[in-house]
Structures are given as structure tokens and as C-alpha cells.
Amino acid sequence: MKGSNDTASDSAESFACVWRVMDGRRTAKIRKKLLAWYAVEARDLPWRNTRDPYAILVSEFMLQQTRVQTALGYYGRFLERFPSLEALAKAEIDDVLKAWEGLGYYRRAHNLHRTAQVLLREHDGRLPKSVSELRGLPGIGPYTAGAIASIAFGLDEPVLDGNVVRVLSRLFAVPGAPGRAETRNRLLREAQRLASGGTAAALNQALMDLGARVCLPRSPRCHECPVASACDAHHTGREVEFPQKRKKGPIPRVVGAAGIIWDKEPFSSDAKLLIAKRKADDMLGGLWEFPGGRVEDGESHEEALIRELREELAIEVEVIEPFLQVDHAYTHFRVTLHFFHCRHTGGEPVAIECDEWRWVGVSELDRFAFPTADRKVLEELEVQQG
Ligand code: SF4
């Protein structure tokens, strides 16, 4: 005969069982609706028209922290320039950076290049299929590994990018900021449950597209959403409360000064400019720039520039006049750079805080890969050169 404790535990188990079945049905319903919607509404993107794992690898590196629209401007040209994994692996990093110029987050270009070299050397030029092996490659984190495994190899692997996080947070009203491990794990479990039965490639991309086109950050178009009837946030009118936010501090602002350093009269016919290559391990590593650095408290822009050029290249300059001010926002800080025309007055440059330096004519500058802020200087120099 059962005691009261046995009866209570039986009831709890039956309840859990019923709950699991209901949950499973709900997941299946959401999956079915998402796949049906994606079959009709999928965005026509060039990397979706290929099963070539190398092309998918390139697209996934480009899409890390970059909008689809921006990546579209680079993807085709990059593959024309480096049509195979072998071509990329054997290319000079300067050429890879040049093809990546303007796309930002240059660490990705270094990692993609290194990944191609590792694959050629250790994997016979092929991408491994398993997420764990993919994650062992330079620059491949959980998102990129899941995207490659599901899209290129059809494995049931979940992905969590910004769009997917937003959709899942709302669909399941997931509490807590997605940056917290607990929240992330819950989102990953929901993504994993949806991406099953051989559907992950389409399902993952359906979630991405839904986030990009319907489940928008500030004004979700719930009336167009295929899963509105199953969405917890929508049922309670709390769509924009998810994903929940973590309080952020103010974004720091850095002020810098940089020199357009001429060896002769600026813009005279055979005048050359000094450019320096950033250290490979630094932010924007491997890119060329007009040398300079941070303005410290209590320094004028000109004083900071003279000091930085002594520290970075061991040269002396005379600051002639201000040239251009450029404001640029990076992920975690903003920078205001003050560029000055300068004349080189002494010292053979030494690569102390850079990897390399060169004197080049204005017309040659375009051959080198520069960060966005310096490219604005290039454009202005070319205009003034006439
Ligand atoms: Fe997003 Fe609205 Fe769809 Fe919910 S119903 S997933 S909030 S668009």
C-alpha cells in the first residue's frame, strides 16, 4: 500500500511528465512555424547559395560583429581575391588585411588567415565537422562553430547571435541579461531544443532572419510574426523588456594626436609621408597608420604628438598646423583623433612601438591597409593633392 509521501511523489512525476510533453509540443509547433516562414521569407544571401565550407567559413568570420549589409560589400570581392582555402593560406597577411580594409575588427582577418594555414597544414585543407574541433581553430568561438557545423555540414547544432538571443529571450520570456552564464545556458538549451531532427541549418537561419526583419530591437512587428501565438513576451505585452539589460557605465572617450609627417614641403612634387605599421598583437594590429598616440592629462595635442613620435619612432618633428579632426566609435570606447601636418626635423625612424615604418608618396598610400579613421585622412589628402 502506498503512503502519502509515495502518492505526492507520483503526482509530482506525472505533472513533470505532462509538462515535458506540453513543452515538447510547443517546441515542435514553434519549429514547424519557423521553418514554414523561412521557406518563403528567407533572405537571398550569397553565402546561402553555396555548400562550400570555405565560403561559409569566410562569411561567418565576416558576420562576427558586422551587419549583413556591410559584409555583403566584401564577401564576393574577398572570394574573388582568395578563391580557395589554399589561396588564402598562402597569401601574405598584408594582402588579406587590404581585402578586409574598412570591415573593421581586424583581428578576424588575422584569425581567418591563421585558420586557413592550420587547416592546410593539419587537416588536409578541409574544415573539420565537429564543433569541438572547429572551436580549436583561431577565431572560432561557439557561435561560428555552431553556424559552420549546422549550415555547412547539416549537424543539429544551435547558434546564439544577437538576433537569435533577442528572439529566444522574447519567445520564452527568459529572465536575466544574456551576458550572465545562467541566462546564456537557458537560451542555449532553448536553441538546442529547437534545432533538432536535421533542421538546424534552416532553423538557425530562420531565427537569425526573424530577429533581423521582424523581431526588431525597439519595435518588433509581432503582427507579422509566425510564432506570435507561442510568444510569452507578446502574450503579456512585454516584448521590448526582453532581452533584459545589464546596467552599463558611460562609454569612455580617448583623445589622440597623429602626424601627417612630411620629409619636405607638404604636397610638393616629390614629398613623402611617414607611415607606421601597428604591432601585430595590438588592436588594429598589422594595419598602417599615421603615427601618434594618446593625449595625456595636462598635455596639448601638439605636445602629446611630439612626445609620442619620440617614443614610438625616435624622431623629432615640427608641428606645422592642424589638418583634420576625426571622431570614431569602437565597441567599448570612442576616440577623437587630431591630425596635424608636421615636418620631420631629425632622427632616422626606429620601429620601437610599431612593427615597421615607410616613407611613401601620397599617390602610393592606397596600396596599404589603413583603419577607418586614417582612411578619412587619406581621402582628404588626395583631395588636397588634386
Ligand atoms: Fe518577437 Fe513579437 Fe514574434 Fe515575440 S511575437 S518573437 S516579440 S516579433
Side-chain angles (χ1 to χ4, degrees):
M1 201 178 137
K2 284 189 176 182
S4 60
N5 280 351
D6 292 337
T7 312
S9 90
D10 281 357
S11 311
E13 201 163 307
S14 336
F15 179 74
C17 186
V18 169
W19 186 252
R20 271 199 301 277
V21 170
M22 283 170 56
D23 229 20
R25 283 199 194 129
R26 181 184 179 211
T27 304
K29 181 176 153 194
I30 293 173
R31 184 187 305 119
K32 193 171 160 197
K33 285 180 179 261
L34 280 172
L35 291 173
W37 177 81
Y38 184 69
V40 179
E41 299 288 342
R43 287 177 291 178
D44 182 19
L45 301 171
W47 45 86
R48 288 183 176 169
N49 301 325
T50 179
R51 296 304 303 265
D52 175 8
Y54 166 66
I56 292 169
L57 174 81
V58 170
S59 71
E60 290 304 335
F61 266 79
M62 286 190 169
L63 290 168
Q64 292 170 1
Q65 295 163 298
T66 294
R67 299 167 74 87
V68 165
Q69 215 51 35
T70 310
L72 280 172
Y74 286 81
Y75 173 77
R77 264 186 289 139
F78 193 91
L79 286 181
E80 264 173 40
R81 179 76 187 76
F82 309 107
S84 65
L85 189 135
E86 186 174 353
L88 178 61
K90 291 183 174 168
E92 294 293 331
I93 183 62
D94 282 351
D95 293 337
V96 179
L97 288 169
K98 186 67 192 161
W100 203 272
E101 187 182 34
L103 194 51
Y105 301 102
Y106 294 90
R107 178 71 46 212
R108 294 177 300 172
H110 286 278
N111 282 334
L112 178 58
H113 186 230
R114 279 171 49 218
T115 284
Q117 292 175 327
V118 172
L119 290 173
L120 193 62
R121 203 171 51 238
E122 297 171 18
H123 294 262
D124 208 17
R126 291 198 182 86
L127 271 160
K129 291 187 178 175
S130 77
V131 163
S132 60
E133 277 182 288
L134 284 166
R135 285 197 60 183
L137 294 164
I140 298 193
Y143 167 77
T144 305
I148 293 170
S150 61
I151 297 168
F153 301 122
L155 303 182
D156 278 342
E157 293 292 345
V159 297
L160 284 184
D161 72 352
N163 285 324
V164 178
V165 163
R166 187 167 57 258
V167 172
L168 295 178
S169 299
R170 290 171 175 176
L171 255 177
F172 300 100
V174 177
R180 291 175 51 207
E182 231 176 281
T183 315
R184 198 99 193 147
N185 289 340
R186 164 82 196 279
L187 290 167
L188 202 56
R189 280 200 305 278
E190 299 296 357
Q192 178 80 73
R193 272 152 32 111
L194 281 170
S196 66
T199 63
L203 199 282
N204 287 340
Q205 293 180 93
L207 286 169
M208 292 175 200
D209 280 18
L210 192 73
R213 294 169 57 191
V214 178
C215 194
L216 303 174
R218 285 192 200 90
S219 46
R221 298 180 182 151
C222 303
H223 58 286
E224 291 174 26
C225 179
V227 289
S229 63
C231 177
D232 288 342
H234 183 56
H235 283 168
T236 51
R238 298 168 64 210
E239 297 91 341
V240 291
E241 288 179 31
F242 297 94
Q244 294 186 343
K245 306 218 171 17
R246 190 166 39 185
K247 282 213 173 81
K248 286 185 190 159
I251 297 176
R253 177 177 288 279
V254 175
V255 177
I260 316 297
I261 305 163
W262 299 87
D263 65 341
K264 301 187 179 67
E265 189 60 26
F267 298 111
S268 58
S269 61
D270 56 348
K272 292 202 181 302
L273 294 164
L274 187 63
I275 57 172
K277 191 182 202 180
R278 293 181 65 87
K279 279 185 179 279
D281 292 340
D282 285 354
M283 184 184 162
L284 307 173
L287 295 187
W288 291 82
E289 66 177 4
F290 298 100
R294 184 192 280 253
V295 177
E296 303 291 355
D297 287 347
E299 276 183 322
S300 69
H301 300 152
E302 291 87 342
E303 286 166 348
L305 180 54
I306 289 169
R307 173 185 54 73
E308 284 285 345
L309 293 173
R310 280 184 191 138
E311 291 171 7
E312 185 177 333
L313 288 155
I315 57 167
E316 298 296 327
V317 299
E318 173 198 346
V319 178
I320 305 172
E321 60 180 359
F323 173 62
L324 195 67
Q325 177 185 321
V326 177
D327 294 297
H328 190 67
Y330 294 98
T331 317
H332 301 297
F333 66 98
R334 294 202 167 90
V335 65
T336 300
L337 278 171
H338 298 268
F339 290 91
F340 291 85
H341 280 299
C342 301
R343 190 176 293 108
H344 178 225
T345 56
E348 175 72 3
V350 182
I352 303 170
E353 292 294 331
C354 59
D355 272 353
E356 218 182 311
W357 56 267
R358 286 201 207 166
W359 288 104
V360 293
V362 173
S363 60
E364 295 172 276
L365 288 168
D366 214 31
R367 295 205 331 252
F368 299 86
F370 285 89
T372 304
D374 294 69
R375 285 218 68 80
K376 292 182 183 158
V377 173
L378 249 66
E379 285 162 21
E380 192 56 32
L381 281 172
E382 279 160 14
V383 169
Q384 294 200 12
Q385 175 92 331

